[in-house]
Amino acid sequence: MILQVFILLIGLIFVVKGADFLVDGASAIARKFKVSEFVIGLTIVGFGTSCPELVVSVTGALSGSSDVAAGNVIGSNIMNTLLILGLTAVVSPILITSQNKKRDIPLTLGVTALFILFGMNKSLLGIGSSDMISRMEGLVFLLLFVTYLYICFKLDSKEADEETVSGSEEMKTWKSVLLVVFGLAGLIGGGRMFVNSATQIANILGVSEKFIAITILAGGTSLPELVTCVIAAAKGKGQLALGNILGSNIFNILLIIGCAAVVRPISMANMNWVDMAALLVSALFIMLISNRGKIDRRSGIALLCCEIAYMTYLITTL
């Protein structure tokens, strides 16, 4: 028990320090190559912090555990929006750019709706023999993912935002890359240590496996996003934090579900309608509050309240 607590703390230190390195390195790369911090957050940081979900979901698909592949993405996206975005906004309000309003936030909502439409096609439209995401639909997700990345870099290269151009002293490229690499290693390695030790502690205390899956494992795969976004917000890098959250949500659906479905079609038959509704409402919430031009502390508190209500529902229906 004492050893597991020690490993838990070490894992947490790795995650926090890894996030610190990642934010500094990613911001320096953005300034160096005149790419906006939002796009860096969307791509490098978003992909890096989504690695745990990618590993869990593809492994689940390979082993035939559709519930793991789909449930992990649904749970992570809900947590990213309600808990992580909410907490980030409470630490420091996040400004919404016109590009976010016109492209990124509507796309997040659209991708989420498409995921529900593909996954629940029998229940919603009466198409097919069961609710499932096929290999063809997985390929559609992957094609959309590649197209979105191309559009992001194409548009962003024409006009880097002011947050990127203005900055502190220039950091050498090799040092920036090393910070990103070590940061991602710390996030992923530390996150794995944290989840494994927390699971061991929960087992020792006699907590049920379902409770562990809903709380510790879902939270553990989202831990990199959580720490990265909070540290980015504390450093005044709100666009990097927002890019990380939206990027992770888009990555989770288009890349992770796309890859998992291509490996093996994903059954959605056991997915709860409350979970799907929470997923859609969380994406819709960002769309609605983006019209104000920023996600302020009040909106952040509202998101956190929604997360508490959702977790309460999950725990009481165990």
Side-chain angles (χ1 to χ4, degrees), residues 17-169:
K17 201 59 188 172
D20 194 33
F21 284 166
L22 182 59
V23 170
D24 287 345
S27 297
I29 289 173
R31 288 194 298 271
K32 181 76 175 178
F33 293 99
K34 293 184 171 57
V35 177
S36 71
E37 288 182 345
F38 177 84
V39 169
I40 292 293
L42 190 76
T43 53
I44 297 174
V45 181
F47 178 74
T49 55
S50 287
C51 280
E53 285 93 340
L54 178 62
V55 172
V56 169
S57 294
V58 173
T59 302
L62 285 169
S63 63
S65 301
S66 296
D67 287 353
V68 171
N72 182 50
V73 165
I74 292 169
S76 292
N77 278 22
I78 292 171
M79 191 167 286
N80 282 349
T81 305
L82 299 183
L83 174 64
I84 299 175
L85 185 61
L87 192 57
T88 303
V90 169
V91 171
S92 178
I94 303 170
L95 293 177
I96 305 291
T97 67
S98 58
Q99 198 78 285
N100 297 154
K101 290 181 187 178
K102 294 175 184 175
R103 182 191 66 195
D104 308 301
I105 293 174
L107 182 72
T108 302
L109 177 60
V111 164
T112 301
L114 187 63
F115 170 64
I116 295 172
L117 185 65
F118 278 177
M120 311 298 284
N121 47 21
K122 183 177 185 298
S123 298
L124 289 174
L125 306 173
I127 299 173
S129 57
S130 64
D131 288 325
M132 101 169 14
I133 296 178
S134 65
R135 284 192 172 91
M136 183 60 67
E137 289 166 338
L139 286 172
V140 170
F141 278 152
L142 292 177
L143 181 62
L144 288 174
F145 174 73
V146 172
T147 304
Y148 178 58
L149 283 188
Y150 173 77
I151 290 172
C152 280
F153 280 106
K154 182 83 172 174
L155 293 179
D156 200 68
S157 62
K158 293 179 180 177
E159 133 179 50
D161 76 31
E162 294 177 3
E163 188 182 10
T164 303
V165 181
S166 63
S168 53
E169 68 274 4

Side-chain angles (χ1 to χ4, degrees), residues 247-278:
S248 292
N249 284 1
I250 291 170
F251 269 64
N252 285 348
I253 293 175
L254 296 185
L255 178 63
I256 297 175
I257 291 294
C259 287
V262 168
V263 169
R264 180 173 295 182
I266 300 173
S267 172
M268 301 281 284
N270 295 326
M271 291 300 106
N272 190 316
W273 275 104
V274 174
D275 299 326
M276 305 304 281

Side-chain angles (χ1 to χ4, degrees), residues 106-313:
L107 182 72
T108 302
L109 177 60
V111 164
T112 301
L114 187 63
F115 170 64
I116 295 172
L117 185 65
F118 278 177
M120 311 298 284
N121 47 21
K122 183 177 185 298
S123 298
L124 289 174
L125 306 173
I127 299 173
S129 57
S130 64
D131 288 325
M132 101 169 14
I133 296 178
S134 65
R135 284 192 172 91
M136 183 60 67
E137 289 166 338
L139 286 172
V140 170
F141 278 152
L142 292 177
L143 181 62
L144 288 174
F145 174 73
V146 172
T147 304
Y148 178 58
L149 283 188
Y150 173 77
I151 290 172
C152 280
F153 280 106
K154 182 83 172 174
L155 293 179
D156 200 68
S157 62
K158 293 179 180 177
E159 133 179 50
D161 76 31
E162 294 177 3
E163 188 182 10
T164 303
V165 181
S166 63
S168 53
E169 68 274 4
E170 194 78 14
M171 184 185 293
K172 292 186 182 299
T173 303
W174 65 268
K175 186 177 179 181
S176 305
V177 173
L178 275 182
L179 282 176
V180 169
V181 171
F182 283 127
L184 287 174
L187 279 171
I188 296 168
R192 180 173 295 180
M193 289 173 66
F194 182 88
V195 171
N196 291 342
S197 58
T199 303
Q200 291 292 330
I201 292 169
N203 284 328
I204 291 170
L205 296 175
V207 179
S208 72
E209 288 186 4
K210 188 171 183 181
F211 182 82
I212 292 170
I214 289 172
T215 56
I216 297 172
L217 295 183
T221 54
S222 292
L223 189 62
E225 286 97 334
L226 174 61
V227 181
T228 300
C229 288
V230 170
I231 288 179
K235 292 186 173 187
K237 307 291 182 183
Q239 275 289 295
L240 192 147
L242 182 63
N244 182 26
I245 292 167
L246 296 184
S248 292
N249 284 1
I250 291 170
F251 269 64
N252 285 348
I253 293 175
L254 296 185
L255 178 63
I256 297 175
I257 291 294
C259 287
V262 168
V263 169
R264 180 173 295 182
I266 300 173
S267 172
M268 301 281 284
N270 295 326
M271 291 300 106
N272 190 316
W273 275 104
V274 174
D275 299 326
M276 305 304 281
L279 179 66
L280 184 60
V281 168
S282 64
L284 187 60
F285 197 98
I286 301 180
M287 184 80 171
L288 294 175
I289 60 180
S290 67
N291 292 328
R292 302 177 185 173
K294 69 176 179 178
I295 305 174
D296 56 18
R297 287 190 172 91
R298 184 181 300 175
S299 299
I301 291 170
L303 288 169
L304 290 175
C305 288
C306 290
E307 172 66 13
I308 291 169
Y310 177 64
M311 290 302 296
T312 302
Y313 163 79

